[in-house]
Amino acid sequence: MNVTIPLQPAMFGPAEQVIAQSGAFTVTAWRTALGIEMLRVATARGHVEVLPLMGQMIWDAVFDGVRLTMESAFPEPRPATSIAETYGCLAYHSGLLANGCPGPDDDHPLHGEMPCKRMDAAHLEFTEEDGAPIVRIGGHVDHVLAFGPNYRARPSVSVGEGTIIGMGMAVENRSALPMELMYMAHVNFAFVENGVIHQPAPLAPDRTRVRTQVPAHVDPDDAYRAFLDELARDPATGRTLDRPSRWTPEQVIYVDAPGTDADGLTHAMLARPEGDGFAMSYATAEFGHMARWILFGADASVAAFALPSTCEPEGYLAEKAKGNIETLGPGETRNFMARFGYVTRDEAETLAARIAAIGGTEKDPKHA
């Protein structure tokens, strides 16, 4: 089975309407009162909500009654040209010409131009992946500047009958000149009090580095600086999210050279006290960096425990100085895929053992 349905703005009305059904999948479309087109892909295990015409952002996801998404001041998406104007989603495409928090001499918006881009075309596809049925939302947007960059971005979101989401991106340089590329699959999981992070590298300062440069949007106090120093000396103190107030303001951590399995995939998990958890997997050949962003604040809380990226999120000029900006040749295309979602208690136990086997953290008592 392979059926593709073009998504037109006129298909999204003020009331929710089922626009497609097949097997386990029901797809509902609507336009919010603020004018944002939304799709919900529902299965027996839960649902995923996507903004198909606004950067193909994944707004929300719930599986087995567990919400995966960060808490924020945004109960629904808002019209925006930069992610800071609507920062409440589960996942978005960060980049592509610039990424991260802009430094004092940078001129790019927070996390670049891609997150809220209006798509040139979008579609809904019923197809198969590895022999299993999936629903895929796809499309493209062209970024063209006279005498400047010219690329086509093809984001996608794949939802199967289980609880793992596929977030894809293909970037094609359509210019006759080389193109700089900075891309992050920015997945913002919910903060889990007493959650335990399983990462594919030792919790030691040489492999788990804490960002010590305080960005402009953070107003540090003595307690914040003390915790930052503690994390830098002993990153293991940040493995368990047992004292939420310590994560106000945010902390950013980098996991270097994460271990991989026989397929070249790395894995990470945030185990919940209930024994289940949130999971992330990707190929390190596609994403050379893993970042972590944790915040527990009055207006937002998030545990982005494993952010796949081609660079660190310190802004264009800082990453340029580090040599972290990749280049696409004329006509070249780069493909990225991150898979993330919810794992049950049994799946979490298996994943914890897999992460430990590829050189990561030891299993915690919940998964001994």
Side-chain angles (χ1 to χ4, degrees):
M1 176 189 68
N2 197 332
V3 176
T4 301
I5 303 170
L7 295 173
Q8 304 294 339
M11 299 171 65
F12 299 83
E16 294 188 9
Q17 180 178 358
V18 174
I19 61 169
Q21 286 182 301
S22 178
F25 302 102
T26 299
V27 182
T28 303
W30 74 99
R31 180 182 287 107
T32 71
L34 294 175
I36 308 297
E37 297 93 346
M38 299 191 70
L39 280 182
R40 181 187 301 117
V41 180
T43 70
R45 299 289 299 275
H47 68 264
V48 179
E49 293 181 354
V50 180
L51 280 54
L53 297 173
M54 185 176 174
Q56 299 217 334
M57 192 182 300
I58 303 173
W59 186 255
D60 196 17
V62 176
F63 292 117
D64 292 356
V66 178
R67 186 170 186 248
L68 279 60
T69 311
M70 69 177 289
E71 295 293 333
S72 77
F74 297 91
E76 62 178 335
R78 299 187 63 85
T81 57
S82 69
I83 190 63
E85 298 170 314
T86 184
Y87 213 119
C89 65
L90 172 60
Y92 64 90
H93 299 281
S94 176
L96 297 165
L97 299 173
N99 182 25
C101 300
D105 297 320
D106 284 318
D107 60 3
H108 62 83
L110 177 69
H111 291 303
E113 79 286 350
M114 182 63 207
C116 302
K117 264 192 173 297
R118 182 73 178 178
M119 301 296 294
D120 293 337
H123 62 264
L124 177 69
E125 183 180 7
F126 290 85
T127 184
E128 292 186 351
E129 188 174 272
D130 298 327
I134 64 166
V135 170
R136 180 181 294 122
I137 299 161
H140 76 266
V141 59
D142 291 337
H143 182 90
V144 186
L145 294 176
F147 317 110
N150 178 359
Y151 70 75
R152 171 166 288 185
R154 297 184 181 89
S156 66
V157 178
S158 302
V159 181
E161 295 178 309
T163 59
I164 299 298
I165 302 166
M167 178 177 174
M169 171 60 78
V171 187
E172 177 191 0
N173 179 11
R174 308 185 90 188
S175 170
L177 300 173
M179 167 189 160
E180 292 182 323
L181 175 65
M182 303 172 71
Y183 175 59
M184 173 184 282
H186 209 303
V187 184
N188 303 315
F189 285 101
F191 186 97
V192 176
E193 186 169 359
N194 295 314
V196 178
I197 295 171
H198 294 254
Q199 68 173 46
L203 281 156
D206 62 331
R207 296 283 295 280
T208 305
R209 294 179 294 112
V210 177
R211 181 184 68 186
T212 56
Q213 181 177 357
V214 179
H217 66 275
V218 171
D219 184 16
D221 57 17
D222 290 343
Y224 173 87
R225 292 188 182 278
F227 184 42
L228 188 154
D229 291 341
E230 180 184 356
L231 282 173
R233 289 192 308 271
D234 182 11
T237 62
R239 185 188 180 202
T240 301
L241 308 182
D242 55 351
R243 286 176 280 173
S245 62
R246 297 197 302 170
W247 301 95
T248 304
E250 67 181 29
Q251 296 283 359
V252 173
I253 296 167
Y254 303 121
V255 179
D256 293 330
T260 60
D261 61 20
D263 296 320
L265 299 177
T266 194
H267 310 277
M269 180 174 67
L270 176 59
R272 302 197 326 141
E274 294 83 355
D276 53 1
F278 303 145
M280 169 64 74
S281 299
Y282 64 89
T284 57
E286 297 175 5
F287 297 99
H289 297 263
M290 177 187 286
R292 176 171 303 138
W293 171 48
I294 300 181
L295 168 66
F296 188 85
D299 294 325
S301 61
V302 59
F305 61 92
L307 293 168
S309 184
T310 66
C311 58
E312 294 175 358
E314 303 300 337
Y316 174 82
L317 291 175
E319 297 308 301
K320 183 80 168 178
K322 299 175 191 175
N324 282 346
I325 297 181
E326 299 187 4
T327 302
L328 285 182
E332 185 180 358
T333 298
R334 281 284 306 276
N335 293 283
F336 303 92
M337 176 60 70
R339 300 187 186 278
F340 57 89
Y342 172 78
V343 287
T344 65
R345 178 186 292 267
D346 289 344
E347 292 167 339
E349 182 175 355
T350 299
L351 183 56
R354 184 181 304 170
I355 294 168
I358 62 176
T361 46
E362 294 299 319
K363 294 190 292 182
D364 67 281
K366 301 179 186 64
H367 300 297

